[in-house]
Amino acid sequence: SAMSKEQRVLRYVQQNASRGDPDSVLAAVDKFGWETEWAMNVGDVKGLILDRFVKETAPQTMLELGTYMGYSAIRVVRLLPETAKFLTVEFNPENAAIANEMIAFAGLQNRIIQITSDSADVIPQLKKKYDVDTFDMVFIDHWKDVYVRDIKLLETNNLLRKGTVVVADNIINPGAPEYADYVRTCGKYDSTFHESNFEYSDDIDGLEKSVYRG
Ligand SMILES: O=c1[nH]cnc2c(O)cc(-c3ccc(F)cc3)c(-c3ccc(F)cc3)c12
Ligand SMILES: [Mg+2]
């Protein structure tokens, strides 16, 4: 049967990037996104803002909700020390399989713990099943309609601590208005919006950075 878009991206990476070189993998995904087929990776423009947040925070433990093809997992983990613990959750098994190959090609398979599950099911299991205490950083990039559900699950499962940095993608496009309103008004976060561009596009988008007050 015909290849999926995600399979076409993976093939392009395998044929154009250097095995074990995360930066070359990111560059190949971005080139394909700009020149051939748009895909919902955080991308190179918002990615530079995410890079800055990661460098400033230097997390030892991090959770990502929404692996997709593994682009942001690779983007983040390339900036972390070997000692860091990075977990990423993906609901769609086909995407998770592509991500697994992409992450392996980048040589980061020993640095990333991939979980294929509904985030609502796995968040309550993280402490016992994945030996997590609290997260230093969280990147939310899965489905806009469950952003609020999941940040509340992180709160009630005691997975956040004073100073945890929660970054969320797509605040403008497609938009997560309930999430933006929640983190900006609930009183539990110091939240800032960082305007940028939508992936592989001149459209506007942006990241929300919310620091948990504990
Ligand atoms: O779902 C997403 N998860 C994580 N990041 C996403 C992203 O960075 C962009 C988009 C996006 C796609 C097409 C479009 F016109 C506008 C926005 C989506 C998304 C939104 C609604 C959809 F129906 C399917 C995809 C996601
Ligand atoms: Mg996104």
Side-chain angles (χ1 to χ4, degrees):
S1 67
M3 293 177 86
S4 68
K5 170 170 70 176
E6 291 74 23
Q7 285 168 321
R8 290 194 292 272
V9 177
L10 175 62
R11 178 180 59 178
Y12 182 82
V13 166
Q14 292 168 333
Q15 293 177 346
N16 292 275
S18 307
R19 183 174 287 279
D21 177 354
D23 285 291
S24 77
V25 170
L26 298 175
V29 174
D30 289 331
K31 182 175 174 66
F32 196 82
W34 280 109
E35 297 178 3
T36 308
E37 284 191 84
W38 183 91
M40 63 177 176
N41 313 113
V42 74
D44 50 335
V45 178
K46 287 187 285 184
L48 281 174
I49 301 173
L50 181 61
D51 287 355
R52 189 176 76 238
F53 293 159
V54 171
K55 289 173 186 173
E56 288 167 354
T57 309
Q60 279 301 327
T61 56
M62 182 160 176
L63 173 68
E64 173 180 68
L65 300 178
T67 315
Y68 188 41
M69 289 193 256
Y71 175 93
S72 46
I74 291 163
R75 186 153 196 124
V76 170
V77 168
R78 89 191 204 284
L79 301 174
L80 300 184
E82 300 238 347
T83 51
K85 182 170 191 172
F86 184 92
L87 283 71
T88 183
V89 182
E90 176 54 47
F91 177 74
N92 178 309
E94 285 78 28
N95 290 343
I98 297 286
N100 191 263
E101 297 224 34
M102 189 87 77
I103 289 164
F105 190 87
L108 297 176
Q109 67 283 354
N110 299 333
R111 312 272 297 282
I112 295 166
I113 298 167
Q114 278 188 259
I115 304 167
T116 306
S117 167
D118 182 335
S119 50
D121 295 336
V122 79
I123 289 172
Q125 299 175 324
L126 289 173
K127 282 187 184 271
K128 287 186 178 162
K129 192 170 179 183
Y130 296 91
D131 190 32
V132 171
D133 177 13
T134 57
F135 289 111
D136 300 328
M137 191 165 191
V138 180
F139 182 47
I140 304 177
D141 188 26
H142 53 348
W143 178 241
K144 60 191 169 50
D145 293 345
V146 299
Y147 279 21
V148 174
R149 180 198 72 186
D150 285 357
I151 198 167
K152 286 182 174 176
L153 274 174
L154 291 168
E155 291 170 11
T156 57
N157 283 276
N158 303 309
L159 287 159
L160 306 180
R161 48 88 176 163
K162 185 175 175 51
T164 297
V165 174
V166 183
V167 181
D169 191 25
N170 305 117
I171 298 301
I172 304 296
N173 191 350
E178 300 83 5
Y179 176 81
D181 184 58
Y182 176 71
V183 291
R184 293 169 188 172
T185 64
C186 73
K188 298 175 187 175
Y189 302 89
D190 292 300
S191 204
T192 50
F193 175 65
H194 300 261
E195 187 171 290
S196 185
N197 288 98
F198 190 55
E199 51 262 35
Y200 316 120
S201 161
D202 296 333
D203 293 348
I204 291 296
D205 194 9
L207 302 174
E208 190 81 9
K209 180 190 178 197
S210 310
V211 183
Y212 192 60
R213 290 179 173 159

